[in-house]
Amino acid sequence: MTYDSRELSTYDGADIRLYAFTLGTHTWRYCTGDRDALFDGNTYIAAPISDGGLKQKGQATTDDFVVTMVSTLPMPLLYRGTPPSMPIKLAVRQQQYGDVDAPLMWVGYVSSVKFKDEISSEILCNSQTAFLHRKGIRLAYSRECPHALYDDECQVDKTLWGENVTITGMSNVAITYDYIDPPRSNNRSGRFVNGFVEWAPGIGGVPRGWTERRSIQFQVDSPVAAVGLLGLTDGLAVGMKVTLYPGCDRGPANCVLFNNISNNGGFAFMTGTSPFDGNPVF
């Protein structure tokens, strides 16, 4: 029988939904059936999971897609502490069990996770169309550089500035560390403020397929080297190897340190007088 005939049949139909949550290169796959399902060479694990159905209210930003699933599954557990720093993509397909076809019915990103109780969680997702309706950042004249450090406009290569370190101690919001390689710069005081720490989560030393980042709020150089993180230190452990990247205060002095003054997008010598303040003489 064809997919369409089974879809329309009240006797032969056995429709299930396939959910694929993707973070980096890792994907969790679940299905609503009472047994595992196969599609495109991948196994979708039967799990207690459902959704609230598709909504079409005329505004993409309000067409939320809510998935309810058991709280002990690996994907919602990522939100028990600090949420992942990379977005999680969700693709939902409709399949007649055992059929080779599974049309894509919804695609978007996880927005938040609400733990209703110890058993179930609600995964709030937004469609890709909703992101197209968000207002973008407007480029305007300012004293500070409008570019984000290491982005395509800044053009600083972050691989040339990362410092590989080993975590020697930690609290809820800070880590102490030792350098693995000789530091790239002798002037390290405060260099990591507004930067970030980056690492690849793993199990038994095997990377799980995505990267985690935490912003750095402050830096201490003595009596031991330490940095304070924006958010908690969950996911980190003593003995882990991580990479620290310097930050930038968006001023020309930092661009000089990065040998990147030609790409500074700020206007540090703007006058303090506005042509729109009502003064006829500017």
Side-chain angles (χ1 to χ4, degrees), residues 191-273:
R191 289 289 287 123
F192 298 125
V193 177
N194 297 326
F196 56 92
V197 56
E198 181 180 85
W199 74 95
I203 299 178
V206 180
R208 301 177 68 181
W210 68 89
T211 300
E212 285 293 335
R213 301 181 182 90
R214 303 278 166 82
S215 297
I216 297 175
Q217 288 188 302
F218 63 85
Q219 178 180 350
V220 177
D221 297 308
S222 63
V224 294
V227 291
L229 308 182
L230 179 61
L232 302 176
T233 54
D234 53 321
L236 296 170
V238 174
M240 281 183 59
K241 295 177 175 58
V242 299
T243 304
L244 303 179
Y245 290 96
C248 178
D249 63 2
R250 301 180 184 273
N254 265 153
C255 285
V256 172
L257 292 176
F258 284 105
N259 301 318
N260 195 48
I261 190 64
S262 60
N263 290 318
N264 183 281
F267 296 85
F269 304 103
M270 291 176 61
T271 64
T273 304

